[in-house]
Amino acid sequence: MFASNVYIERRKRLISDIGSGLILFLGNELSPMNYPDNQYPFRQDSSFLYFFGLNCPGLAAVIDTDQGAECVFGDDLTVDDIIWMGPQPLLKEKCQAVGISETAPLDQLQPLLDRAVDQDRQIHFLPQYRPENVLKIQELLDIHQTVIPDHVSEPLIRAVVAQRSFKSDEEIAQIEAALDMSYEMQTTAMKMSKPGVCEREVAAAMEQIVLARDGRLSFPTIFSIHGETLHNHYHGNIMSAGDIAVNDSGAETPLGYASDITRTIPVSGKFSQRQKEIYAIVFESQTTAIEASKPGVEVRDVHRLASEVLVSGLKDLGLVKGDVSQAVEAGVHTLFFQCGLGHMMGLDVHDMEGLGEDYVGYTDTIKRNPEFGWRSLRLGKALEPGFVITVEPGLYFIPELIDRWKAERKNIQFVSYDAVEKYKDFGGIRIEDDILVTEDGPRMLGGPIPRTIDEVEAMSS
Ligand code: GLY
């Protein structure tokens, strides 16, 4: 964990931002896989980690903003627990390390909240994404689970987003530690991706890299020769000469910080001419988008710019015709680029998505565009120094989508369907990096991972 002062200062600011009432944070529990004692690896809630740094199950915390008091609720291990799990520091000892002096057994949480409700005090809590914590809120606050979303605290969401959006130096160091693992993952995948190798061998090698470094995956690995499927988690294909494999993968440090990198790998070691042409378009789109990612610039404008570069490149190849900006205005890019340009990244790979994407990526005046493609843009608002974002344009040739648009004669004035038809077996290409927005402009985080055609081919051969 970070020095105790980091957590103390974060909570101090939260108290000042919220101003009155109690703040209730629920930590996560162990989740059973197939029977109660066989559990998924524990993952603490990211906001709990951010404000309390305590990475163990069975905890809750209450901050009384009127009194400036903080208490963590949890039970120490019994001897019966210790027999199976070994000895662990007492809760009090763990809490001292994050600047909390008051702890209490879990069964004291309910009476404390009951007293607050009796006194008509406001109890702020965040949106819940785990069923067991939904049930806890239902029981602790007597709010039926179906209406809990109506009772979450918007001021608390906004206050948490206001802090977590801006990464401190120690957080950047963590993200760069995750990116060191990404370097190993990506370069290993480049070296291993050969004809005859099964995708799951590469996915397994990448997971081995993070586990051996006391990390874990920051999200389930996307590694596939069918990169046209945006989130393809099937790893059962045997790679063949001429295939390209999209490797969208990430690591998480022991403190919970993520990396998220995508490279597209030629299985033969060399891209074909046609693959090079599409790769070069995506590369130019990404480079242009990264250069544009400066403070004050709205990401929805960067997304449009990246889309224009994609459409312009496709026009040069004869897949698109007409005026490029009019084509993007008409949504032509979404036939080939169906998702958003990127998202914030930090303690969650899609940072704070559990708090509500629109609180993180949009504002009261910059609203999400509900149209196909645009609606998947998680981050649209203006960039500020301290934001860490991904920049991940791609070109995806999805046969079913092409067939549908062609049958509907959609955007027929802009799309040369006969030419597009020839790419239905192409797959997809995505290139993604993690960027820190600074006063001086964008900074690509981590050591350089092969990205140009020459660099990727050299590592893959
Ligand atoms: N890299 C996976 C995602 O952004 O969803």
Side-chain angles (χ1 to χ4, degrees):
M1 61 181 60
F2 297 129
S4 62
N5 213 38
V6 170
Y7 303 102
I8 292 169
E9 290 304 320
R10 289 172 178 177
R11 294 192 301 267
K12 213 187 262 178
R13 173 156 168 215
L14 194 62
I15 289 172
S16 142
D17 285 351
I18 294 302
S20 76
L22 302 186
I23 307 173
L24 169 63
F25 282 99
L26 296 182
N28 282 340
E29 300 292 345
L30 282 161
S31 279
M33 286 191 279
N34 50 345
Y35 54 90
D37 277 350
N38 202 26
Q39 294 138 346
Y40 290 105
F42 176 68
R43 177 54 158 88
Q44 183 58 288
D45 172 72
S46 294
S47 290
F48 200 90
L49 270 184
Y50 186 84
F51 290 104
F52 298 93
L54 300 168
N55 192 11
C56 47
L59 301 179
V62 172
I63 301 179
D64 184 329
T65 65
D66 300 299
Q67 311 287 331
E70 306 164 330
C71 181
V72 171
F73 295 81
D75 295 327
D76 285 314
L77 296 188
T78 64
V79 173
D80 285 338
D81 296 325
I82 289 170
I83 289 168
W84 294 96
M85 298 161 67
Q88 290 189 21
L90 297 174
L91 179 61
K92 215 165 192 48
E93 293 163 352
K94 292 183 196 166
C95 285
Q96 272 162 6
V98 292
I100 300 245
S101 52
E102 198 185 335
T103 62
L106 258 182
D107 65 6
Q108 290 188 19
L109 178 60
Q110 182 76 65
L112 177 125
L113 295 173
D114 287 347
R115 275 196 303 279
V117 170
D118 287 346
Q119 293 164 359
D120 227 11
R121 297 187 69 195
Q122 189 165 9
I123 302 174
H124 300 268
F125 62 90
L126 292 171
Q128 302 299 318
Y129 54 91
R130 291 228 180 166
E132 55 270 32
N133 279 350
V134 169
L135 292 177
K136 274 193 240 167
I137 292 286
Q138 172 169 281
E139 208 169 302
L140 288 167
L141 301 179
D142 196 21
I143 302 171
H144 192 268
Q145 54 181 288
T146 53
V147 294
I148 286 174
D150 302 336
H151 291 262
V152 299
S153 166
E154 191 171 328
L156 181 59
I157 295 171
R158 290 186 186 280
V160 172
V161 170
Q163 285 201 56
R164 285 183 55 191
S165 296
F166 298 91
K167 272 56 181 188
S168 62
D169 289 348
E170 62 262 13
E171 291 182 288
I172 298 300
Q174 280 292 313
I175 291 169
E176 295 209 289
L179 281 162
D180 286 345
M181 292 190 264
S182 274
Y183 176 89
E184 292 299 324
M185 294 163 80
Q186 289 289 345
T187 53
T188 298
M190 286 174 195
K191 289 176 202 159
M192 279 185 73
S193 296
K194 299 277 178 247
V197 174
C198 184
E199 292 163 341
R200 64 171 67 94
E201 294 176 64
V202 180
M206 291 194 287
E207 188 154 2
Q208 196 269 342
I209 287 167
V210 296
L211 293 176
R213 288 159 178 74
D214 198 19
R216 64 167 78 186
L217 299 175
S218 53
F219 59 95
T221 293
I222 297 161
F223 181 87
S224 180
I225 55 173
H226 285 291
E228 74 278 12
T229 301
L230 301 180
H231 280 182
N232 199 334
H233 294 126
Y234 177 72
H235 298 147
N237 296 301
I238 307 288
M239 294 182 272
S240 304
D243 286 340
I244 43 175
V246 166
N247 179 17
D248 183 347
S249 55
E252 183 178 294
T253 65
L255 266 60
Y257 286 86
S259 61
D260 183 2
I261 295 287
T262 308
R263 291 292 183 264
T264 305
I265 304 168
V267 171
S268 318
K270 297 276 178 214
F271 291 104
S272 69
Q273 183 56 31
R274 194 167 78 137
Q275 290 164 349
K276 275 187 185 169
E277 287 165 357
I278 298 294
Y279 194 102
I281 296 170
V282 177
F283 185 87
E284 191 190 341
S285 173
Q286 196 213 22
T287 305
T288 305
I290 291 171
E291 282 168 3
S293 296
K294 296 178 179 157
V297 176
E298 291 175 14
V299 180
R300 61 183 179 177
D301 291 335
V302 185
H303 178 84
R304 184 184 304 276
L305 181 64
S307 302
E308 284 177 359
V309 175
L310 295 174
V311 168
S312 172
L314 294 174
K315 183 178 169 186
D316 292 343
L317 293 181
L319 279 71
V320 170
K321 55 197 173 186
D323 181 79
V324 167
S325 63
Q326 283 175 11
V328 169
E329 197 55 41
V332 168
H333 60 291
T334 66
L335 178 57
F336 312 99
F337 178 40
Q338 302 82 8
C339 54
L341 183 65
H343 47 83
M344 282 211 186
M345 197 188 73
L347 275 168
D348 306 301
V349 67
H350 291 179
D351 211 19
M352 300 170 278
E353 192 169 300
L355 302 182
E357 257 182 15
D358 285 357
Y359 287 111
V360 179
Y362 291 87
T363 68
D364 293 342
T365 52
I366 299 174
K367 301 279 188 199
R368 186 187 292 257
N369 180 339
E371 283 170 27
F372 177 66
W374 282 101
R375 66 173 169 254
S376 302
L377 181 62
R378 301 175 195 282
L379 175 63
K381 70 186 181 185
L383 293 166
E384 296 186 59
F387 284 10
V388 171
I389 59 168
T390 65
V391 179
E392 47 179 312
L395 285 171
Y396 310 100
F397 295 89
I398 304 172
E400 294 81 356
L401 186 64
I402 294 168
D403 288 345
R404 192 168 83 187
W405 277 42
K406 189 177 175 189
E408 292 172 359
R409 298 174 61 75
K410 192 164 172 180
N411 282 317
I412 191 81
Q413 70 277 35
F414 292 114
V415 182
S416 300
Y417 281 105
D418 287 350
V420 173
E421 279 281 333
K422 299 194 179 91
Y423 282 77
K424 277 166 73 175
D425 64 348
F426 183 91
I429 288 182
R430 171 158 70 249
I431 312 173
E432 173 181 20
D433 284 280
D434 303 335
I435 305 298
L436 170 65
V437 180
T438 77
E439 295 283 2
D440 301 327
R443 172 156 86 79
M444 201 183 279
L445 291 173
I449 298 170
R451 189 170 74 97
T452 65
I453 288 175
D454 286 349
E455 288 165 354
V456 172
E457 286 187 345
M459 189 60 75
S460 306
S461 298

